[in-house]
């Protein structure tokens, strides 16, 4: 009865060849949809080419189409279908993905949603106790910030700082000492919440498991059970899980880093982050 967002992904170094593969996938999906009584919305179908900002695609991509039933089943004879529109940002499952994975559009989208709540918290702080404000924050603000944070949290620090500035304004009157209020309410800052999600989502992960430091002679890093942090050449490499995860784990106390029980790890990790708010 209901259809969710659908996308097809292809990676390659030749733009024309990659687009041909995507077009083949689109034709297969469209044909199956028509045969099963489903019509795709061509007006909401977009093309997004994700690339490095320092290595832009050469040339324009070939036109791509979501062909109609008659066009598709008549070997594209007299095709009058409109080409798919190329865009710089798409919304997929509530997340705004841009063409260079900077997450700037999504951060701006979240900031605008949070600003709509500012006036409500401003007026309510004089009428309800702090416990009620905290409950409202957890039910209204936290879901907005936390949705897909483990993904968009890998963006630039300036974007995260922008979120925290807006987020601080949703709090009760604390005379500018926002860290103190976060600690009292036991709520993590956006930057810390991302680190928290990054650590617990990859706890004992086989796919993204970091490698322990191993040398021919004993070092302090080996005895402390620290992980190898790979060297990277640019900020794209710095934002990968292979770099961020071991770097984060190495910054934690040894007892937390070595904890095998995930529930204990989550509890101790949150306590550590809140205790070090300053």
């Amino acid at each position: 009865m209901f259809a969710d967002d659908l996308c097809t992904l292809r990676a390659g170094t030749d733009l024309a060849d990659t687009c041909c593969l995507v077009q083949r996938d689109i034709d297969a999906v469209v044909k199956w949809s028509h045969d099963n009584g489903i019509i795709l919305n061509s007006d909401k179908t977009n093309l997004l080419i994700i690339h490095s900002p320092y290595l832009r695609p050469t040339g324009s991509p070939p036109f791509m189409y979501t062909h109609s039933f008659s066009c598709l089943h008549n070997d594209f004879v007299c095709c009058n279908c409109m080409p798919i529109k190329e865009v710089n940002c798409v919304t997929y499952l509530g997340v705004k993905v841009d063409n260079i994975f900077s997450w700037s559009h999504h951060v701006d989208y979240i900031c605008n949603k949070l600003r709509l709540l500012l006036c409500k918290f401003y007026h309510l702080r004089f009428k309800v106790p702090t416990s009620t404000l905290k409950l409202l924050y957890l039910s209204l603000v936290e879901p907005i910030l936390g949705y897909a944070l483990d993904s968009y949290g890998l963006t630039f620090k300036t974007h995260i700082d922008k979120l925290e500035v807006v987020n601080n304004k949703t709090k009760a009157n604390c005379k500018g000492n926002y860290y103190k209020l976060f600690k009292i309410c036991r709520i993590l800052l956006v930057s810390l919440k991302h680190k928290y999600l990054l650590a617990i989502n990859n706890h004992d992960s086989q796919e993204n498991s970091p490698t322990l430091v191993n040398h021919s002679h004993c070092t302090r890093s080996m005895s402390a059970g620290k992980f190898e942090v790979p060297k990277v050449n640019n900020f794209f490499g710095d934002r990968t899980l292979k770099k961020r995860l071991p770097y984060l784990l190495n910054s934690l106390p040894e007892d937390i880093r070595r904890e095998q029980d995930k529930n204990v790890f989550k509890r101790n990790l949150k306590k550590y982050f809140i205790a070090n708010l300053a």
Side-chain angles (χ1 to χ4, degrees):
M1 295 177 65
F2 300 98
D4 210 336
D5 290 348
L6 176 68
C7 74
T8 175
L9 300 174
R10 289 284 186 170
T13 56
D14 187 283
L15 181 59
D17 291 344
T18 307
C19 286
C20 288
L21 294 175
V22 174
Q23 182 64 65
R24 187 177 66 182
D25 293 340
I26 294 174
D27 291 343
V29 171
V30 172
K31 186 177 184 304
W32 183 93
S33 300
H34 287 315
D35 292 342
N36 288 273
I38 302 174
I39 300 176
L40 297 183
N41 192 333
S42 300
D43 295 333
K44 292 185 178 181
T45 303
N46 295 316
L47 170 65
L48 178 69
I49 300 176
I50 302 174
H51 58 85
S52 166
Y54 303 108
L55 187 63
R56 298 183 180 276
T58 56
S60 301
F63 289 125
M64 303 171 65
Y65 304 88
T66 54
H67 293 286
S68 63
F69 179 87
S70 59
C71 177
L72 195 64
H73 288 76
N74 288 285
D75 297 325
F76 313 108
V77 177
C78 299
C79 177
N80 295 318
C81 303
M82 295 297 294
I84 298 173
K85 181 181 178 182
E86 183 183 355
V87 296
N88 294 324
C89 178
V90 296
T91 301
Y92 182 65
L93 298 177
V95 179
K96 293 188 176 295
V97 183
D98 58 85
N99 59 344
I100 58 173
F101 261 140
S102 67
W103 298 108
S104 59
H105 292 80
H106 189 66
V107 170
D108 290 339
Y109 170 69
I110 295 175
C111 288
N112 290 333
K113 293 186 70 173
L114 291 180
R115 290 189 182 100
L116 296 175
L117 300 173
L118 298 184
C119 59
K120 298 177 177 62
F121 277 86
Y122 176 80
H123 294 291
L124 284 174
R125 64 179 179 170
F126 301 108
K127 301 177 181 179
V128 299
T130 303
S131 58
T132 303
L133 286 176
K134 179 183 176 181
L135 181 62
L136 289 171
Y137 176 85
L138 293 175
S139 60
L140 296 175
V141 180
E142 279 277 295
I144 296 175
L145 289 171
Y147 183 70
L149 178 58
D150 50 345
S151 296
Y152 79 82
L154 293 169
T155 185
F156 301 104
K157 185 178 181 298
T158 52
H159 293 327
I160 298 299
D161 291 342
K162 182 179 179 180
L163 272 177
E164 291 191 342
V165 169
V166 176
N167 187 35
N168 289 341
K169 296 178 181 179
T170 64
K171 305 298 184 297
N173 185 14
C174 54
K175 298 180 180 180
N177 191 354
Y178 297 109
Y179 290 133
K180 180 179 179 181
L181 184 61
F182 273 105
K183 183 178 290 189
I184 294 174
C185 295
R186 300 187 60 80
I187 295 175
L188 295 175
L189 294 166
V190 179
S191 56
L192 293 179
K193 188 173 181 63
H194 170 251
K195 293 179 179 180
Y196 175 78
L197 292 174
L198 192 66
I200 64 174
N201 289 345
N202 293 279
H203 187 265
D204 291 336
S205 171
Q206 299 297 325
E207 182 180 358
N208 299 311
S209 179
T211 305
L212 288 169
V213 174
N214 187 17
H215 300 297
S216 57
H217 55 282
C218 185
T219 62
R220 282 179 294 180
S221 296
M222 284 182 60
S223 60
K226 291 193 173 183
F227 300 98
E228 290 277 5
V229 180
K231 294 181 180 180
V232 296
N233 298 322
N234 49 44
F235 61 83
F236 284 104
D238 183 66
R239 290 159 60 191
T240 60
L241 283 179
K242 290 184 178 180
K243 169 66 183 297
R244 289 289 185 96
L245 185 58
Y247 186 82
L248 168 62
L249 294 176
N250 288 344
S251 67
L252 301 176
E254 184 179 353
D255 59 327
I256 298 179
R257 185 170 59 250
R258 291 179 178 270
E259 181 59 55
Q260 298 297 318
D261 188 290
K262 189 170 184 177
N263 292 325
V264 177
F265 177 77
K266 291 170 60 176
R267 183 167 60 250
N268 292 342
L269 182 62
K270 185 172 183 177
K271 286 182 180 179
Y272 172 76
F273 283 148
I274 291 177
N276 287 275
L277 278 173

